[in-house]
């Protein structure tokens, strides 16, 4: 039977909860608009996303109820199961949109890579919390975590899913930096990797090469590989200051904008609510991230601090990359906007992350 320490109830992390629910609510309304058709106001996408949000709230309560120090003991088994799931995706996964990213589980399809974002941060926090804050991490101590990061990233790239691999790597990088990753290694890595980037370009898939080409020269293929990015920028720009109004975005409603309810949902939102609405949304994200950072800063132990920093960092980097991608500031890498984009696994993993952040915040009063 589920039991929650009564002392925790006096310290519920209301600010983070309210912020997460607000952004989730905005997401549901925007998915409704992105999938709106005459005569069918509420699409099946909205119903499914609302159902996943409800399941996510149950998962959030579970994440709060289990002491994160207890969960820490199962970091390796959780990581191992998720790694196995990622491997199974390549063998027997469900395909869609030119990629194989999901595993069929009964009547639903789950995306293990979304849950790996949480599992990897948990494992890195488990490994590094003993040394964090005392001294700079040595190269010897970074070898193991490095391998644990690279293996799932390679499996995700194989699907292929470049955006999720980047988000996974950036969340892990956040944990390493907070744990004491030597800055000099960053400089060395930049000096070594920088000259190799042109070589890496030739190992990208053709569609990924075209995305980079179009980022450098947006006018190169306006009706082909550059169509997504160009239509997204037109949608955002056409919203002007106050937007065209809810359900009135022409780029969205006339289907010029591709993948409206997933990767390019920010463009749908910005077209309808304009610069003012986009600014409000970004302020909500900023407040959510700052609250997560505050939880990491105020955590009572290194484990809680690293876990909170990694989970918050993953959300932060994913939001930055998505908004940068849709506005033309970054290349299109195929990444969703946290809490807004359609996706059951993503929503479930995000609300589990929020539950763990609340767990860390609330338990600092109990030990």
């Amino acid at each position: 039977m589920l039991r929650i320490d009564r002392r925790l109830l006096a310290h519920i992390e209301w600010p983070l909860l309210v912020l997460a629910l607000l952004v989730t609510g905005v997401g549901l309304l925007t998915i409704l608009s992105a999938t709106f058709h005459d005569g069918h106001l509420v699409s099946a996408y909205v119903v499914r996303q609302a159902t996943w949000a409800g399941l996510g709230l149950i998962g959030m309560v579970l994440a709060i109820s289990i002491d994160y120090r207890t969960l820490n003991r199962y970091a390796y088994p959780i990581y191992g199961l998720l790694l196995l799931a990622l491997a199974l995706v390549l063998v027997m996964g469900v395909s869609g949109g030119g990629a194989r990213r999901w595993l069929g589980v009964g009547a639903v399809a789950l995306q293990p890579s979304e849950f790996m974002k949480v599992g990897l941060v948990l494992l890195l926090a488990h490994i590094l919390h003993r040394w964090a804050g005392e001294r700079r991490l040595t190269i010897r101590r970074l070898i193991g975590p490095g391998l644990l990061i690279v293996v799932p990233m390679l499996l995700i790239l194989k699907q292929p899913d470049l955006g999720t691999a980047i988000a996974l790597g950036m969340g892990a990088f956040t944990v390493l930096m907070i744990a004491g990753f030597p800055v000099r290694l960053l400089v060395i890595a930049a000096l070594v990797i920088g000259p190799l980037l042109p070589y890496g370009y030739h190992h990208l898939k053709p569609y990924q090469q075209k995305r980079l080409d179009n980022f450098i020269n947006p006018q190169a293929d306006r009706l082909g590989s550059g169509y997504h990015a160009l239509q997204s920028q037109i949608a955002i720009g056409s919203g002007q200051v106050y937007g065209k109004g809810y359900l009135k975005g022409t780029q969205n409603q006339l289907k010029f904008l591709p993948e409206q309810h997933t990767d390019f949902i920010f463009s749908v939102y910005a077209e309808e609510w304009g610069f003012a609405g986009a600014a409000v949304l970004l302020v909500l994200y900023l407040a959510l991230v700052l609250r997560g950072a505050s939880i990491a800063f105020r955590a009572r132990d290194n484990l809680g601090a690293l876990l909170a920093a990694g989970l918050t960092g993953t959300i932060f980097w994913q939001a930055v990359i998505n908004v940068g991608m849709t506005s033309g500031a970054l290349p299109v890498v195929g990444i969703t906007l946290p809490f807004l984009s359609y996706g059951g696994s993503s929503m479930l993993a995000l609300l589990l992350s929020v539950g763990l952040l609340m767990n860390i915040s609330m338990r600092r009063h109990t030990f």
Side-chain angles (χ1 to χ4, degrees):
M1 181 179 177
L2 178 63
R3 291 183 179 178
I4 297 180
D5 189 334
R6 291 185 178 180
R7 292 174 296 173
L8 296 178
L9 299 178
H11 303 286
I12 293 176
E13 175 54 44
W14 289 111
L16 184 68
L17 177 61
V18 170
L19 286 167
L21 292 178
L22 276 174
V23 183
T24 301
V26 172
L28 285 172
L29 287 174
T30 311
I31 291 172
L32 188 150
S33 175
T35 58
F36 168 74
H37 300 289
D38 290 337
H40 297 88
L41 178 60
V42 180
S43 68
Y45 291 103
V46 179
V47 175
R48 285 199 290 266
Q49 188 74 350
T51 303
W52 281 111
L55 292 172
L57 290 175
I58 296 173
M60 179 193 292
V61 174
L62 287 172
I64 294 172
S65 66
I66 302 172
D67 192 325
Y68 67 91
R69 291 165 298 176
T70 302
L71 197 61
N72 173 51
R73 300 173 194 165
Y74 303 99
Y76 273 109
I78 291 171
Y79 175 87
L81 285 173
L82 291 172
L83 201 62
L84 176 63
L86 284 176
L88 289 175
V89 166
L90 300 179
V91 179
M92 51 186 292
V94 179
S95 299
R100 181 178 290 180
R101 301 173 181 172
W102 300 269
L103 268 185
V105 182
V108 300
L110 295 176
Q111 191 173 354
S113 56
E114 293 293 338
F115 300 101
M116 180 55 91
K117 294 175 187 172
V118 182
L120 180 59
V121 167
L122 176 65
L123 181 58
L124 292 177
H126 167 78
I127 295 171
L128 298 172
H129 79 276
R130 302 180 187 86
W131 309 314
E134 295 181 357
R135 65 184 69 174
R136 288 292 164 188
L137 294 174
T138 63
I139 294 177
R140 183 171 61 84
R141 284 179 173 170
L142 287 170
I143 293 175
L147 290 173
L148 293 169
I149 295 169
V150 168
V151 173
M153 284 185 71
L154 290 176
L155 290 173
I156 293 170
L157 285 172
K158 192 72 177 175
Q159 294 179 357
D161 189 352
L162 178 61
T164 301
I166 292 174
L168 186 80
M170 294 306 292
F173 177 70
T174 303
V175 179
L176 292 178
M177 289 301 295
I178 299 298
F181 190 91
V183 176
R184 61 184 171 83
L185 283 185
L186 278 181
V187 176
I188 295 172
L191 293 174
V192 172
I193 296 174
L196 296 177
L197 288 179
Y199 176 77
Y201 172 86
H202 296 293
H203 287 268
L204 293 174
K205 294 186 178 299
Y207 77 91
Q208 292 171 332
Q209 291 178 343
K210 288 181 178 178
R211 285 176 175 178
L212 281 178
D213 294 342
N214 282 293
F215 174 67
I216 296 170
N217 182 9
Q219 306 299 324
D221 190 5
R222 296 165 59 93
L223 299 178
S225 56
Y227 183 80
H228 286 50
L230 186 62
Q231 293 301 322
S232 173
Q233 292 167 42
I234 291 172
I236 293 173
S238 64
Q240 299 188 25
V241 178
Y242 297 110
K244 296 177 179 175
Y246 188 56
L247 300 177
K248 296 179 181 177
T250 51
Q251 284 292 110
N252 170 40
Q253 298 300 330
L254 297 178
K255 307 302 177 189
F256 287 114
L257 191 61
E259 302 177 37
Q260 306 101 317
H261 59 297
T262 54
D263 294 0
F264 290 91
I265 196 165
F266 179 75
S267 312
V268 175
Y269 177 87
E271 183 185 21
E272 294 184 342
W273 299 96
F275 174 80
V280 170
L281 179 62
L282 294 180
V283 166
L284 285 177
Y285 273 114
L286 179 63
L288 192 149
V289 168
L290 289 178
R291 192 65 191 178
S294 171
I295 291 172
F297 182 75
R298 292 180 294 118
R300 292 291 294 273
D301 57 8
N302 285 341
L303 176 66
L306 292 177
L307 185 55
L311 296 172
T312 304
T314 303
I315 295 171
F316 169 76
W317 288 114
Q318 190 168 335
V320 167
I321 295 170
N322 179 276
V323 174
M325 175 187 84
T326 53
S327 59
L330 292 172
V332 174
V333 293
I335 193 168
T336 56
L337 185 59
F339 300 103
L340 253 75
S341 293
Y342 174 79
S345 300
S346 173
M347 178 58 69
L348 195 52
L350 284 165
L351 291 178
L352 281 173
S353 297
V354 171
L356 285 173
L357 287 168
M358 294 176 67
N359 186 331
I360 297 164
S361 174
M362 293 158 68
R363 280 191 167 75
R364 72 189 178 91
H365 300 283
T366 62
F367 71 96

